[in-house]
Amino acid sequence: MAELATEKHVRYILSVEKRKDNFESVVMEHLRMSGAYWGLTALDLLGKLDSVDVDEVTSWLLSCQHESGGFGGNIGHDPHILYTLSAVQVLALFDKMDVIDVDKVTNYIVSLQNEDGSFSGDMWGEVDTRFSYIAICCLSILHRLDKINVEKAVKYIISCKNMDGGFGCTPGGESHAGQIFCCVGALAITGSLDLVDKDLLGWWLCERQVKSGGLNGRPEKLPDVCYSWWVLSSLTMIDRVHWISKEKLIRFILDCQDTENGGISDRPDDAVDIFHTFFGVAGLSLLEYPGVKPIDPAYALPVDVVNRIFFTK
């Protein structure tokens, strides 16, 4: 079996930030905040977060904050709950939570909760269980979870549960591994995992493993490295990881590496990107791969960072 090309992945991640004028950088400009979270968290999991300039990243991040309290995907972009979580997670990585006005960020997120307990992503009103997770995760990190109606938020998430044990983006929506992570993660953070049928959901999730060892997001779809996180984190939270072959999944992730230039792709021999590099490393972390720091399956942050957030004053 191949080994994780850690040093090459670190060089690849650091090189992505330096490329600002190629096609990939231009079309991903609106996602730069999420890209920062993916890249920096991967570096931390690999033990290389000290490779970046903390002050430079923090300064850029603060320039992405809107007067509403929310953060945009880049400088001058509209605020969105997704990028707000990414910004808070990056600050948590650096232990720099004191540089933001927590009440202002909290008020922005609270303003996005709807009467039925769901959350909109921004002022335009799109509703999705992704946003429920993001709101709950972000407010929990900020120690402000009591500022929303948690009971209504949980009730809405449960209304998105399907007969197969999975969850969709809205009530009646198709079960999808990404949405399942969001719903299970939100329920884990709120202490509501007793509302999940763990055996039924575990069956649906373990059925996502295909012959190559990789995981897909829905039945009859191709495997994708990113589901090494979405599926595996959910299985971890409901204590059903032993229902899949860890060895085969590790082999699949390692087969998706670019061992010459670094980075991880969605499938073997495809082009690498920062998104799949992070989720590949995060998947290996959940699989307890040697040399990769442990990651919290609900908060998607290194365990030592989560411990610092909640267990230090």
Side-chain angles (χ1 to χ4, degrees), residues 45-190:
L45 291 174
L46 295 172
K48 300 293 184 179
L49 189 59
D50 58 0
S51 302
V52 301
D53 186 323
V54 176
D55 292 334
E56 182 181 347
V57 175
T58 302
S59 176
W60 166 78
L61 185 147
L62 291 174
S63 69
C64 296
Q65 187 173 24
H66 194 267
E67 59 186 16
S68 66
F71 287 79
N74 209 334
I75 298 172
H77 290 228
D78 290 341
H80 193 283
I81 197 169
L82 169 61
Y83 306 123
T84 301
L85 173 60
S86 294
V88 168
Q89 288 172 314
V90 169
L91 292 174
L93 285 174
F94 289 142
D95 196 16
K96 287 279 191 177
M97 300 294 291
D98 59 334
V99 304
I100 57 170
D101 184 332
V102 171
D103 289 335
K104 196 172 183 180
V105 178
T106 298
N107 291 338
Y108 171 73
I109 297 172
V110 170
S111 73
L112 295 172
Q113 187 170 31
N114 302 307
E115 183 59 33
D116 63 357
S118 66
F119 281 84
S120 299
D122 57 17
M123 63 182 291
W124 305 109
E126 179 189 6
V127 171
D128 191 308
T129 45
R130 288 179 301 156
F131 309 146
S132 295
Y133 164 76
I134 289 168
I136 288 169
C137 182
C138 195
L139 291 176
S140 180
I141 292 171
L142 296 173
H143 301 282
R144 295 291 190 276
L145 195 53
D146 61 329
K147 299 301 182 181
I148 59 167
N149 190 322
V150 175
E151 183 179 354
K152 277 190 173 183
V154 168
K155 186 176 181 180
Y156 178 78
I157 291 169
I158 294 302
S159 75
C160 298
K161 185 166 63 172
N162 294 319
M163 293 178 64
D164 56 17
F167 294 81
C169 58
T170 53
E174 178 187 10
S175 293
H176 185 282
Q179 303 296 151
I180 288 171
F181 160 76
C182 292
C183 294
V184 173
L187 294 174
I189 292 170
T190 57

Side-chain angles (χ1 to χ4, degrees), residues 203-252:
W203 169 82
W204 192 94
L205 289 168
C206 75
E207 285 290 307
R208 305 281 60 77
Q209 190 164 40
V210 300
K211 288 183 179 180
S212 66
L215 301 165
N216 62 23
R218 291 178 290 161
E220 304 302 321
K221 296 294 184 179
L222 293 173
D224 187 316
V225 156
C226 71
Y227 294 112
S228 303
W229 170 260
W230 307 119
V231 173
L232 203 56
S233 58
S234 297
L235 285 171
T236 301
M237 287 185 278
I238 63 173
D239 194 26
R240 298 295 185 275
V241 174
H242 57 287
W243 286 10
I244 66 166
S245 171
K246 293 183 180 181
E247 294 75 17
K248 287 185 177 180
L249 181 54
I250 289 173
R251 186 178 298 112
F252 176 79

Side-chain angles (χ1 to χ4, degrees), residues 246 283-290 292:
K246 293 183 180 181
L284 290 172
S285 174
L286 289 175
L287 292 163
E288 301 178 323
Y289 189 87
V292 182

